[in-house]
Structures are given as C-alpha cells and as structure tokens.
Amino acid sequence: MSIRIHPIKAFDDNYIWTLINESNKQAIVIDPGQAEPVIAYLEDNELELTSIWTTHHHYDHTGGVAELQESYPMTHLVAHAEHNVDEDQTIRDESTVNAWGYAAQVWEVFGHTASHVAYVLDIEGHKHCFCGDTLFSGGCGRVFTGTIEQLYDSFTRLNSLPAETLMYPAHEYTASNLRFGLSIEPNNEAMQQTLTQAEEKTAQGVPTLPVTLEHERAINVFLRTQEPSVIAGVKSKTAMTDDEPLSVFAALRELKNNF
C-alpha cells in the first residue's frame, strides 16, 4: 500500500494535510478550515474523502467540516468532544484512529487550546505527527484557552518522539519564527541556514514542511530551553528569576507575543 501525504493550502498560510491512499484513491483530511480547496483537490485528483480528523476547535481548522460532510456524506469525522463539530468518533488521549490499517495514536497536546490533540501515525515503523497549532517549525502556538504550563508539557511530550519523526504543523510560519529565534540565539548557524532556505521556499510558494523532530531540536528555541545560548538570549531581553526550562519557555512565548 502506498500512502502519500500532501498539503492543501487554505486561507493565507494554513495547510490541510491530506493522506492519500494511492491504491484505492481514498483520502483523509486533517483540519479542513475551508471546504473549497479540499473539494477542488479531491475532484482534480479523482479522490474519495473517507475521513476528517481535527486537532482543535478554531474556525480555521474546522470551518470546512460541515460542508465536506454534506458533499461526502459517508465521511467519518474524528474529533475531540470539545472541537464543536458533529463527530462520529469522539477521541481522547491515547485513542486510536485507523488509516487503512495503519494506526494513529491520539495525544493530548493542550496549551494552545484546552482540548488540542495531535495524531501520531505509524506507517511501517516511521512516525508522522500531525501537531496542528501546538508546534510550528521554529516556534509554538499562542496560548488561548490552555495554559503555558500545558503547552510546555506538550512540547516535552512531542520531544519524546523519535528524532526521525516527521512533524506536520498546520501553518506556514517558519520564516517569521526563525527571525524571532535568531533574535534570541543570533549565532545559531543551523537557524541562519534554515531561515535562508525558508525565505526562498516561501517566495516560491513551496512549503517548508514537514520537518523532522531532529531538525526542530536544532532550530526551534522552544525546544532549546536548556541551552545556555537560549537562556542568555532570553535574559538579555527580559528579567528572569530562575533558569528553569518552564520559566525560559514562558519568557520566550511572551517575547514572541510582542516580537
């Protein structure tokens, strides 16, 4: 069986990650904030939508769900009880979701919202993590209905995945996140090189995603809260009472809010 993962672009910078089973021309979409680009892609590629998965309740991730359910009435909707959609399968932490015989484990990764989840899909021993707005390449989501402590714990959990895990954030924020990261850690060569590449790709309309967790560990300051260079960069911009990773993480998020 061949499964391909494709980003459908929506709004200004959203990605609706789409799992495509090449053998039976079926598709699963994750976080369809808009229905129109999904329907267009499915029709252009003669695909049948069989399932929708949501990571959280924000409209730019769920706004297209109802229309897709109307257009594809056999679609199986997978969501948390607080995602404000009419789901067929209600999920919680460590639920299992099926993708043509492959298992995706549901992880609670609260913080951005109080009911945000990620889907960790294992395809023949290789993990693919659809992390919504919790982790972005080079950054993290804002805290809305969750807490900064939850978001930090979620990052710690995601960081426990194997280094080669592919991460699939739901927005193209890479270049702006790296500009912030370099304001904290200006001598990070990996970050410098990745920013140059990201700016080139973004100018060409090419996604910078997915990325490996190993890559994120090198260029994402929110995963580098124990690095002396990051701690020093934060202290140069704001008063810190201690160097604990959660404190550094919280200070980084506040600095990013105002960057």
Side-chain angles (χ1 to χ4, degrees), residues 143-212:
V143 174
F144 286 101
T145 56
T147 67
I148 193 67
E149 290 83 7
Q150 287 176 326
L151 189 59
Y152 173 76
D153 288 343
S154 295
F155 257 60
T156 301
R157 187 176 194 184
L158 291 173
N159 201 24
S160 72
L161 286 163
E164 66 274 13
T165 301
L166 283 172
M167 312 298 290
Y168 296 81
H171 289 273
E172 184 57 73
Y173 291 163
T174 305
S176 60
N177 284 335
L178 290 171
R179 292 185 196 108
F180 168 71
L182 284 168
S183 76
I184 301 296
E185 204 176 8
N187 297 321
N188 184 316
E189 292 184 2
M191 204 181 293
Q192 294 167 359
Q193 294 169 3
T194 304
L195 175 58
T196 299
Q197 294 164 359
E199 289 175 334
E200 291 173 354
K201 287 184 176 180
T202 302
Q204 297 167 6
V206 176
T208 63
L209 308 169
V211 288
T212 65

Side-chain angles (χ1 to χ4, degrees), residues 76-149:
H76 181 74
L77 177 57
V78 176
H80 188 281
E82 296 178 19
H83 286 181
N84 300 333
V85 293
D86 186 17
E87 72 273 10
D88 300 297
Q89 180 181 352
T90 304
I91 53 169
R92 54 186 175 81
D93 194 44
E94 297 189 1
S95 293
T96 299
V97 182
N98 179 60
W100 306 293
Y102 294 111
Q105 189 176 45
V106 177
W107 282 16
E108 290 179 351
V109 286
F110 298 170
H112 176 65
T113 71
S115 58
H116 197 299
V117 300
Y119 297 88
V120 182
L121 175 64
D122 192 302
I123 300 177
E124 296 174 356
H126 195 95
K127 294 187 185 299
H128 303 259
C129 179
F130 300 93
C131 49
D133 287 2
T134 296
L135 179 148
F136 299 124
S137 187
C140 72
R142 286 178 179 266
V143 174
F144 286 101
T145 56
T147 67
I148 193 67
E149 290 83 7

Side-chain angles (χ1 to χ4, degrees), residues 16 29-35 38 52-54 60-65 68:
I16 301 169
V29 297
I30 302 171
D31 286 350
Q34 286 181 301
V38 174
I52 299 169
W53 303 351
T54 63
D60 63 321
H61 295 253
T62 62
V65 167
L68 288 171

